[in-house]
């Protein structure tokens, strides 16, 4: 483990993997390049291949960041809880390892939290290239009727699909101001650290889908607030031809988006918030394979000489590959269940004060 602690830092950046490892070094270097000190940074590495892990570790050592290594994969909520347990600053800022930041992003998140008192602050999240120009998410809603969602009957309680406001629009074409939002995406967001005492930790029963909505619903259900701070701008590098899923990423990507993990997450979310009568879930369960198709199947088929870029070939090839990818994903899910360990500091690299904080955090939850 590499470790550096800045005593005057207000925020600890916890970087975790979303569904890939190959962009981590670039994301870390970008933070080091443009982010004004002081701040702490903890990289939680769950199971990246050795060649990638060595590069991530070396990058952390170069910049004085803390590096924590697990040899098995970690679901995002599990990795976030580990990072939270090791933080000691007033704010914890979660940043996935495929997010690139801009100057002022961190200072503006902290300023919003301090000026508004909000428990959670999210930046303006962009997508695609050129970087920081096209909006991915600028706030959104998880329900059209907050009162009915929390106080109504089960037939009145409904999720909304309007949690990606302004997606696809150009940053320069939209006039955004600091405002409350029902939903934060989890690509990048700030949490006031002492709020975990009443929010509890991230729900590890949700290994993938809708963990951002679950977290947002939890914040509002307990009287917290989420703010959008548009002066803080970051870009989520969506898996694409520009930022592809690399060979070193495929196993984790297939686990992360396995239909089995998605069904587990959705079923838990549905029961937790008493949404059994909401037709939203029937629609969403039909979409559990699209990331396999777009992130792995089609890119593999495009590598076939001469015919790989044909639309018809990609459609047919994806149809043939999908059963195999789903089988691999199911096997990885089963193996992960066997390898699963409760979140906490890496057992091979213990630190007593971190362990104490984890125990206290679990008790508070």
């Amino acid at each position: 483990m590499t470790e550096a602690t800045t005593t005057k830092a207000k925020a600890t950046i916890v970087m975790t993997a979303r569904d890939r490892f190959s962009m981590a070094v670039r994301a870390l270097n970008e933070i080091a390049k443009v982010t004004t000190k002081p701040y702490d940074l903890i990289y939680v590495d769950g199971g990246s291949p050795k060649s990638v892990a060595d590069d991530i570790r070396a990058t952390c050592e170069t910049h004085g960041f803390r590096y924590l290594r697990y040899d098995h994969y970690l679901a995002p909520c599990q990795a976030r809880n580990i990072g939270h347990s090791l933080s000691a600053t007033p704010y914890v800022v979660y940043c996935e390892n495929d997010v690139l930041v801009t100057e002022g992003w961190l200072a503006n998140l902290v300023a919003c939290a301090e000026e508004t008192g909000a428990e959670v602050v999210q930046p303006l999240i962009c997508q695609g290239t050129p970087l920081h120009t096209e909006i991915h998410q600028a706030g959104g809603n998880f329900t059209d009727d907050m009162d009915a969602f929390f106080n109504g009957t089960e037939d009145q309680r409904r999720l909304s699909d309007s949690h990606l406001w302004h997606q696809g629009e150009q940053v320069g074409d939209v006039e955004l101001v600091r405002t409350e939002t029902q939903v934060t995406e989890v690509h990048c967001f700030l949490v006031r650290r002492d709020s975990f005492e009443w929010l509890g930790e991230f729900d590890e029963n949700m290994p993938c889908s809708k963990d951002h909505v679950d977290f947002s619903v939890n914040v509002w259900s307990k009287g917290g607030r989420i703010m959008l701070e548009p002066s803080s701008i970051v870009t989520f590098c969506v898996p694409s031809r520009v930022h592809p899923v690399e060979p070193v990423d495929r196993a984790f990507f297939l686990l992360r988006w396995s239909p089995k993990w998605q069904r587990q997450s959705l079923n838990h979310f549905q029961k937790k918030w008493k949404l059994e009568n909401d037709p939203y879930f029937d629609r969403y369960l039909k979409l559990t394979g699209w990331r396999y198709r777009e992130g792995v199947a089609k890119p593999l088929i495009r590598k076939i000489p001469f015919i790989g870029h044909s639309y018809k070939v990609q459609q047919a090839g994806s149809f043939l590959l999908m059963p195999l990818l789903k089988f691999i994903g199911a096997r990885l899910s089963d193996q992960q269940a066997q390898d699963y360990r409760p979140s906490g500091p890496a057992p091979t690299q213990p630190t007593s004060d971190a362990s104490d904080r984890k125990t206290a955090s679990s008790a508070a939850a």
Side-chain angles (χ1 to χ4, degrees):
M1 182 194 301
T2 58
E3 181 175 353
T5 300
T6 308
T7 56
K8 295 182 180 179
K10 288 185 176 180
T12 299
I13 302 167
V14 175
M15 183 171 283
T16 61
R18 172 178 168 79
D19 52 23
R20 293 177 289 171
F21 304 115
S22 55
M23 286 199 62
V25 168
R26 182 180 177 187
L28 286 165
N29 282 329
E30 199 71 12
I31 286 176
K33 178 181 177 182
V34 306
T35 308
T36 303
K37 294 181 178 179
Y39 62 89
D40 295 336
L41 188 146
I42 302 170
Y43 189 96
V44 182
D45 183 0
S48 67
K50 185 179 184 305
S51 59
V52 181
D54 288 345
D55 289 341
I56 296 171
R57 183 192 295 271
T59 303
C60 287
E61 289 176 349
T62 297
H63 299 303
F65 299 156
R66 190 174 197 174
Y67 176 82
L68 189 66
R69 166 74 181 178
Y70 285 76
D71 291 330
H72 59 284
Y73 294 139
L74 296 168
C77 284
Q78 188 182 9
R80 291 183 202 119
N81 284 337
I82 292 168
H84 157 244
S85 75
L86 295 172
S87 67
T89 52
Y91 302 103
V92 184
V93 180
Y94 296 94
C95 189
E96 293 181 323
N97 66 353
D98 54 5
V99 169
L100 302 178
V101 302
T102 64
E103 290 186 10
W105 74 283
L106 179 60
N108 291 341
L109 289 178
V110 172
C112 179
E114 296 193 330
E115 292 166 14
T116 66
E119 287 75 20
V120 179
V121 182
Q122 77 146 94
L124 170 61
I125 301 173
C126 295
Q127 63 186 19
T129 54
L131 296 173
H132 317 309
T133 60
E134 181 181 313
I135 296 173
H136 174 71
Q137 193 244 12
N141 290 341
F142 60 78
T143 184
D144 294 329
D145 189 334
M146 187 86 82
D147 182 64
F149 188 90
F150 289 118
N151 303 312
T153 66
E154 291 189 18
D155 287 332
Q156 294 174 315
R157 195 174 296 123
R158 293 289 182 266
L159 280 179
S160 169
D161 263 328
S162 59
H163 63 276
L164 293 170
W165 286 352
H166 300 294
Q167 188 174 60
E169 297 181 50
Q170 294 296 302
V171 173
D173 294 339
V174 181
E175 188 172 336
L176 297 170
V177 296
R178 179 187 291 178
T179 186
E180 283 188 355
T181 175
Q182 289 183 17
V183 174
T184 178
E185 283 276 2
V186 289
H187 304 296
C188 182
F189 63 111
L190 171 150
V191 182
R192 189 179 299 272
R193 192 180 186 282
D194 60 12
S195 66
F196 283 110
E197 295 175 7
W198 47 272
L199 280 175
E201 294 191 328
F202 296 95
D203 191 340
E204 295 184 11
N205 290 304
M206 298 191 66
C208 59
S209 297
K210 303 305 172 188
D211 53 331
H212 66 295
V213 182
D214 173 72
F215 174 74
S216 301
V217 172
N218 188 42
V219 171
W220 284 104
S221 73
K222 295 178 178 177
R225 285 193 306 154
I226 302 172
M227 296 293 294
L228 167 71
E229 178 48 70
S231 67
S232 174
I233 302 174
V234 304
T235 292
F236 159 48
C237 297
V238 183
S240 63
R241 297 190 192 192
V242 177
H243 300 116
V245 177
E246 302 287 357
V248 294
D249 300 322
R250 285 181 191 143
F252 183 55
F253 189 92
L254 291 175
L255 170 65
R256 172 68 163 87
W257 298 116
S258 66
K260 189 170 184 177
W261 265 23
Q262 292 190 65
R263 286 192 298 271
Q264 176 185 334
S265 294
L266 291 169
N267 290 338
H268 177 73
F269 182 83
Q270 191 174 22
K271 293 176 181 177
K272 177 179 179 178
W273 298 109
K274 296 181 171 57
L275 294 165
E276 286 88 344
N277 295 332
D278 191 341
Y280 173 91
F281 294 89
D282 293 332
R283 298 194 303 271
Y284 199 85
L285 282 167
K286 297 176 182 177
L287 304 175
T288 56
W290 74 269
R291 285 186 173 88
Y292 276 12
R293 185 168 53 253
E294 299 300 322
V296 178
K298 286 186 178 180
L300 284 173
I301 294 162
R302 282 196 289 266
K303 294 180 181 295
I304 301 175
F306 307 113
I307 62 172
H309 287 272
S310 162
Y311 174 79
K312 290 184 178 180
V313 170
Q314 288 183 28
Q315 291 297 101
S318 296
F319 179 79
L320 294 173
L321 273 177
M322 286 299 287
L324 175 61
L325 297 180
K326 289 180 179 179
F327 173 77
I328 295 171
R331 289 292 299 271
L332 288 167
S333 299
D334 292 340
Q335 184 61 51
Q336 181 70 7
Q338 296 176 21
D339 290 345
Y340 179 86
R341 299 174 180 84
S343 63
T348 56
Q349 300 168 349
T351 55
S352 58
D353 63 329
S355 299
D356 291 343
R357 285 197 296 273
K358 176 64 181 176
T359 302
S361 178
S362 297

